[in-house]
Amino acid sequence: QVQLMESGGGLVQPGGSLRLSCAASGLTLDYSIIVWYRQAPGKEREEVSCISFRAGTTYYVDSVKGRFLLSRDAVENTVYLDMNKLEFDDTGVYTCAIRRLYSECPRGENWPTYAFDFWGRGTRVTVSS
């Protein structure tokens, strides 16, 4: 059974840090792209970042550049999103999605839900003082 499991969300003060994980079981993340989306209350889903697992190439939305960093672990079959200098606008539910046998990230293009093979359930990040 294939599963994508996000973890690492929580409540953090502005300026703080969190590490999100997207762990896959039942499939390999190799030769896939893994996209992190977030949805803030009352807002549309937004692509935050993306990594092409084999090549390691990454994409970040402008609002998180210099603050968020993607990494991957082939042994753990996991993608990590290190989020630093968190801001109020980073609040939302962060969900990872995988598109297998693909190497190009959406890079801000609005891909439909069905463009991805699997979705996680999301992890909530709240930035509040």
Side-chain angles (χ1 to χ4, degrees), residues 4-6 22-23 34-37 94-98 118-120:
L4 284 183
M5 182 71 69
E6 302 96 337
C22 175
I34 297 88
V35 184
W36 280 100
Y37 285 95
Y94 285 70
T95 306
C96 62
I98 178 173
F118 300 102
W119 289 80

Side-chain angles (χ1 to χ4, degrees), residues 18-37:
L18 285 173
R19 168 174 261 206
L20 304 186
S21 301
C22 175
S25 59
L27 84 165
T28 176
L29 293 179
D30 208 1
Y31 299 107
S32 303
I33 59 166
I34 297 88
V35 184
W36 280 100
Y37 285 95

